[in-house]
Amino acid sequence: AAKAAGKSAYRTCTPQLRESAVTRAELIADLRRAVDEDQLLMEFQPIVDLSTGAVRSAEALLRWRHPRLGVLPPARFLPLAEETGLILAIDRWVIHEACRAAAIWRERSPEVTVAVNIAAAHLRRPDLIATVTGAVGAVGLPLRALTLELTESALIEGSEAVLDRLTQLRDLGVGIAIDDFGTGYSSLSYLHRIPATELKIDQSFVARLDADDARAYATVEMVNRLAGAFDLTVVAEGVETGGQHAAVTAIGCVHGQGWRYGRPVALPELLQTLTPVDAAR
Ligand code: C2E
Ligand code: MG
Ligand code: MG
Ligand code: MG
């Protein structure tokens, strides 16, 4: 099944990849080297408190500076990484890099947190807790400074062992966010079982708020209410416009993330954007 998924992901890959003279096998070989040769890089996108505009957190987003193809977005290489198992080494690198960035950022802004995306394959690894506590400990970061973002599908597939590991991490203080909520084949019943602290409303719902779409508004409102009942902090993803900002704020979402508040940027740039975003702008 993993092979099939990888194949279809490749088929749906951007035309540029097929046009470029790089074959799939070459790209896999290149990816194998990418970690060791320092070609991976992280960008950080601010997550703001919608009521004050203050930056509370940042999501770490992976890019690959390919020697010939330039900077590639995760959709271009993560399917290959998952298919080949390279995702485990990449995820580990990401966790360490995010912790290092969080430690630097917190010297200036002591309460900020950093969120990292974790692949389903990594979730299944018994050493996830050791990887996380090791990375956090190496830079003297408290565990509450880190949030793990997991997709619905990864969580639904999750065995009891996976849920146990996540519960342990949450009990240690690590944030657990359900990413892209509403896009998977979600069953409301599974929310009871997930030891989450946050719910990220997928950007596809937020995008439709602009069109004065009553059903989109009702959906976001319902998800926000649901999250409240489960004591989860809501992050509205992909907020691009003033209209979307006004809508998610009126609905009562706690946090916002999107181009309106800031694009993903390198760490030095993130460190410069510390002044609270003017929410009324
Ligand atoms: P995600 O976790 O849902 O990340 C949000 C994506 O939405 C990012 O795309 C971000 O750049 C984009 N985005 C943010 N604000 C806006 C906006 O206002 N408008 C629009 N149109 N897009 C916005 P990106 O960086 O291409 O990442 C795509 C996906 O790749 C992520 O989705 C995540 O699932 C995965 N990913 C990214 N970094 C990592 C990583 O380090 N490890 C793993 N395992 N997966 C990663
Ligand atoms: Mg995410
Ligand atoms: Mg997301
Ligand atoms: Mg998304």
Side-chain angles (χ1 to χ4, degrees), residues 235-256:
V235 183
E237 291 193 281
V239 179
E240 294 182 359
T241 67
Q244 290 161 2
H245 167 78
V248 296
T249 305
I251 288 169
C253 298
V254 175
H255 291 155

Side-chain angles (χ1 to χ4, degrees), residues 59 117 149 178-181 200-203 237 257:
E59 177 173 2
N117 296 283
E149 297 198 1
I178 306 175
D179 204 356
D180 301 344
F181 186 79
K200 301 189 78 171
I201 300 181
D202 190 67
Q203 56 189 52
E237 291 193 281
Q257 177 181 358

